[in-house]
Amino acid sequence: MVSAATVGAVLAARRPRHPVGWLLLGLGLLLTLDGLAYGYVRYGLVARPGALPAASYLAGFSNGIVITWLSCAGFVLLLTPTGMLPSPRWRWWARAAAAAAVVYLLGSVVDPAPLDPEYPTIGNPLAVQALPGLLLLAAGATCASIVLAALVVAAGSLVGRYRRARGVERQQLRWLAVAAALASVALLIAVVAVVTSNDELVLAALSSCVALLPLATGAAILRYRLYDLDRIISRTLAYGLLTVLLGLSYAGVVVLLGQLFRQHSSLVVAGATLAVAALFQPARRRVQRAVDRRFDRRRYDAAHTVEAFSVRLRQQIDLDALSAELLGVIDQTMQPTQASLWLRPLAEGSRPHPIRWEY
């Protein structure tokens, strides 16, 4: 609730014309209303009947609001990151999904069936008795199926968007892909926690899983540090591996020195600390280079290209060849739409001689 509402409020303030911000804000508010309505109805109708006013009037709304916020989440996925549908052909599906959520909510409000199967005596004061119960049941099942299918289809549409996207949009979708991968790991942890009956871990894992997607959506739409994703991943992996390696090294040195100096524990700790401190910088450079070579190949190749060019620069004396090679290195490493090189005048009073290289 906090993640969706906060990100939605920021997006709505920064990009008021972008529908995803308002959808996330609505999603957070609907989740809040769902929790409040459920608690209010259960206390006012089951725990202490009659203790809270109008509890029975909110019961139908409480039963139908779940499908509403699920539909809202589906539209967030469908409209991210551009704020538009993947193509005009999706309009009929978007209208069907929105209509299904509205029909399900209205059907829950006027449903003449008991509000709670466990308490069949609790009736719905807003029920329309003329509506056939079987028809409402079939309509509700159909609408719920459409909304759930829309959620899955919207997630699949992001895959299609990613395949067709280029440039900024592709970078935006990469943030969502990383968030989805992390959410999958959190969901797997939640499943393991359910098997081991660890309720606190289940709640923490599911909360992390749900909170990651709005945060990634907000970062993608606002384009916050959009091109730093590779560096964030490589640094995270590098320092994670470095922590494990240094921790194992520290433990190994402590054990080794402990066997040699059994009576001097302070000497053992000091020696292990100095050894790990001496290993830190060399190990960090090697681990970072290995991680960049595997997970941030573009930055790794760019660094090698610049390094090779700096070596050739000391030996090159032909100005035209040097200029062409410099612009070629810029093209490989920075990939600009165009690049220009302006040289200083050869003699006093002469005009600058431009060399222009366009892509």
Side-chain angles (χ1 to χ4, degrees):
M1 290 184 289
V2 172
S3 174
T6 304
V7 174
V10 173
L11 282 177
R14 297 284 185 88
R15 303 282 181 87
R17 295 186 178 181
H18 203 295
V20 172
W22 298 104
L23 285 169
L24 282 174
L25 185 59
L27 175 61
L29 295 177
L30 285 172
L31 285 168
T32 305
L33 289 176
D34 187 14
L36 291 175
Y38 178 79
Y40 191 89
V41 169
R42 296 291 295 181
Y43 186 82
L45 295 181
V46 178
R48 295 184 62 184
L52 297 176
S56 59
Y57 290 91
L58 289 176
F61 174 78
S62 176
N63 292 336
I65 198 173
V66 175
I67 294 297
T68 307
W69 65 256
L70 283 175
S71 177
C72 205
F75 275 100
V76 168
L77 296 176
L78 192 62
L79 297 175
T80 300
T82 61
M84 296 182 292
L85 295 172
S87 69
R89 293 178 296 178
W90 285 77
R91 290 176 181 171
W92 69 271
W93 176 251
R95 291 168 183 167
V102 173
V103 170
Y104 187 93
L105 180 61
L106 292 177
S108 299
V109 172
V110 299
D111 190 0
L115 295 175
D116 194 328
E118 298 180 3
Y119 302 92
T121 58
I122 301 176
N124 185 3
L126 298 177
V128 178
Q129 300 297 333
L131 292 175
L134 186 60
L135 177 62
L136 281 176
L137 182 63
T142 303
C143 291
S145 300
I146 292 174
V147 170
L148 294 176
L151 190 62
V152 176
V153 170
S157 71
L158 291 175
V159 179
R161 280 183 185 268
Y162 185 80
R163 290 179 177 178
R164 297 190 303 268
R166 295 293 181 271
V168 172
E169 185 177 350
R170 194 175 186 88
Q171 292 293 329
Q172 290 175 303
L173 292 171
R174 288 184 67 194
W175 276 95
L176 293 176
V178 171
L182 294 175
S184 300
V185 174
L187 188 61
L188 182 61
I189 294 174
V191 172
V192 174
V194 169
V195 175
T196 58
S197 301
N198 191 335
D199 295 337
E200 294 182 357
L201 184 58
V202 171
L203 182 60
L206 290 179
S207 299
S208 302
C209 177
V210 176
L212 280 171
L213 294 177
L215 292 173
T217 302
I221 294 175
L222 292 176
R223 302 180 185 180
Y224 176 73
R225 304 183 71 86
L226 193 60
Y227 289 90
D228 288 348
L229 184 59
D230 290 332
R231 178 168 294 187
I232 292 172
I233 294 174
S234 67
R235 291 293 173 86
T236 302
L237 291 173
Y239 281 99
L241 290 174
L242 184 63
T243 302
V244 173
L245 290 175
L246 292 181
L248 293 176
S249 301
Y250 184 84
V253 171
V254 167
V255 171
L256 179 62
L257 294 180
Q259 297 294 327
L260 298 176
F261 307 99
R262 295 181 181 274
Q263 304 300 325
H264 303 281
S265 59
S266 59
L267 182 62
V268 171
V269 173
T273 304
L274 290 175
V276 170
L279 289 173
F280 178 78
Q281 285 298 338
R284 188 192 67 80
R285 285 193 294 267
R286 290 179 180 274
V287 171
Q288 187 68 64
R289 192 179 300 115
V291 170
D292 286 343
R293 186 167 58 248
R294 179 64 182 86
F295 295 97
D296 195 2
R297 190 71 189 188
R298 179 177 297 178
R299 182 172 178 267
Y300 178 80
D301 292 340
H304 273 260
T305 301
V306 173
E307 184 179 353
F309 174 71
S310 64
V311 174
R312 295 193 302 271
L313 182 63
R314 301 187 185 98
Q315 305 170 355
Q316 185 62 262
I317 58 175
D318 186 356
L319 185 60
D320 292 334
L322 181 62
S323 302
E325 190 171 356
L326 174 60
L327 291 170
V329 170
I330 292 173
D331 178 42
Q332 294 178 26
T333 56
M334 306 297 293
Q335 297 183 355
T337 56
Q338 72 176 29
S340 301
L341 175 63
W342 291 78
L343 303 179
R344 291 183 177 181
L346 299 178
E348 186 177 355
S350 60
R351 300 178 62 185
H353 175 62
I355 299 177
R356 194 172 186 84
W357 190 291
E358 295 187 358
Y359 309 100

